[in-house]
Amino acid sequence: MDATGDTGRPRTGVVAGVIRTARPRQWVKNVLVLAAPFAAYAADPVFRTDVVVDAGIAFAAFCLGASAVYLINDAIDVEADRAHPTKRNRPIAAGVVPVRAAYAISAALFLASFAVSLVSSWRLLVVIGVYAALQLGYCLGLKHQPVIDLCIVASGFLLRAIAGGAAAGLPLSQWFLLVTAFGSLFMVAGKRFAEIVLYERTGAQIRASLSKYSASYLRFVWATSAAIMIMAYALWAFEIRLRTGTNSVWAVISIVPFVVAVLRYAVDVDGGNAGEPEDIAFRDRVLQVLGVSWVACVALSAFL
């Protein structure tokens, strides 16, 4: 063994490859753990430090758990990724990170995620455990089952939203659950639609489940999900208005930036450019302004 290790890979390169595979850029998805505390605050504007702390713990637990999933997924899919026009550049597929090392680090991250979640509550541990079980099932074969793969990926977003409430012991509105569930399905169907478009444009190899989908079917799924999400949010907004006790019109006004943001995101979905939702969130300034406007409206509904 030399200074670079027995594989000839520089240790710094392996570390950098592990960090890339852990995808810290995608931790932005874990901000969803703040959804339940924010919704609870909008309905009852009393600031609680313990809720913020528990939400922060949930965020950290999901960052660790999600990174563990990315590592094990890339390790299992290493051969398929090497045949993909862009995924072949991933560290494990490119040979930068050894497959065995990826499995070992993934196990360590899962254990760390469980330990962190216990700092908050057993409820958060249960949510993290369900998330880990579903994602491992996905990585080990359920990703190849049409419809099931959409539901499992969407459940990852839904469980993030539930985790914030579970960690802080907050009750979750039925409308909140519907909005997050169908919003998740909307994003996932859009992501899969983008993969179908990529296949049609480049002939890139696609996962087995996608070969059983058509672009028109995925368009139906994301359009239906968007419609249900918007309807559920509108009903939720009226519920927030009644529960605040202020009879504020701001909760109802928040429907406007919410719907416009959904339609704006749908433009990217329709164009087959929603393969990476976090990239859209980072680069689309109009979508960011709409998001800030929506948050402001919901926050104002608690006071005005």
Side-chain angles (χ1 to χ4, degrees):
M1 182 184 297
D2 58 21
T4 62
D6 59 354
T7 61
R9 304 180 186 90
R11 290 191 180 92
T12 54
V14 173
V15 172
V18 169
I19 293 173
R20 280 183 56 202
T21 307
R23 301 181 184 48
R25 182 183 177 86
Q26 297 203 23
W27 288 352
V28 66
K29 298 175 183 176
N30 299 325
V31 174
L32 279 170
V33 303
L34 302 176
F38 180 69
Y41 182 78
D44 183 16
V46 177
F47 181 79
R48 291 173 50 190
T49 304
D50 59 322
V51 171
V52 175
V53 172
D54 285 331
I57 292 172
F59 177 84
F62 263 96
C63 287
L64 293 168
S67 291
V69 171
Y70 291 135
L71 279 158
I72 200 167
N73 182 70
D74 286 7
I76 292 174
D77 284 355
V78 61
E79 295 301 328
D81 286 351
R82 285 171 180 163
H84 194 276
T86 57
K87 293 181 180 180
R88 65 187 178 188
N89 296 319
R90 290 177 174 177
I92 298 177
V96 176
V97 177
V99 172
R100 289 185 179 180
Y103 283 131
I105 296 170
S106 177
L109 288 175
F110 271 129
L111 291 175
S113 176
F114 298 152
V116 169
S117 63
L118 271 177
V119 174
S120 174
S121 70
W122 63 268
R123 294 182 299 272
L124 178 59
L125 176 61
V126 170
V127 176
I128 290 289
V130 171
Y131 170 81
L134 287 173
Q135 297 306 314
L136 285 175
Y138 176 86
C139 294
L140 293 172
L142 291 179
K143 68 172 72 176
H144 302 305
Q145 299 299 319
V147 180
I148 301 300
D149 73 312
L150 294 178
C151 294
I152 291 180
V153 177
S155 73
F157 293 98
L158 177 60
L159 288 170
R160 284 172 170 88
I162 291 174
L170 299 171
L172 299 175
S173 165
Q174 59 187 354
W175 303 121
F176 170 81
L177 293 174
L178 283 172
V179 170
T180 52
F182 284 97
S184 301
L185 188 57
F186 169 57
M187 287 192 294
V188 173
K191 183 178 175 69
R192 292 293 182 264
F193 181 78
E195 292 181 38
I196 288 286
V197 172
L198 176 65
Y199 166 71
E200 292 175 347
R201 289 174 180 171
T202 67
Q205 182 175 344
I206 57 175
R207 66 190 77 216
S209 62
L210 275 179
S211 64
K212 300 179 181 180
Y213 292 131
S214 65
S216 60
Y217 173 76
L218 290 171
R219 188 186 298 276
F220 161 76
V221 173
W222 64 255
T224 302
S225 300
I228 296 175
M229 174 178 61
I230 289 172
M231 180 187 68
Y233 181 78
L235 293 171
W236 185 27
F238 283 106
E239 179 185 82
I240 291 175
R241 181 182 185 183
L242 294 175
R243 290 179 59 187
T244 56
T246 61
N247 199 33
S248 174
V249 73
W250 285 104
V252 178
I253 293 176
S254 72
I255 297 173
V256 176
F258 182 86
V259 172
V260 176
V262 172
L263 296 178
R264 174 79 178 189
Y265 185 82
V267 172
D268 289 307
V269 175
D270 190 57
N273 300 316
E276 299 295 339
E278 63 278 4
D279 287 344
I280 297 175
F282 280 124
R283 72 168 183 261
D284 193 328
R285 296 291 180 261
V286 174
L287 195 60
Q288 291 168 5
V289 170
L290 289 168
V292 171
S293 300
W294 171 76
V295 170
C297 288
V298 175
L300 285 172
S301 70
F303 302 101
L304 300 176

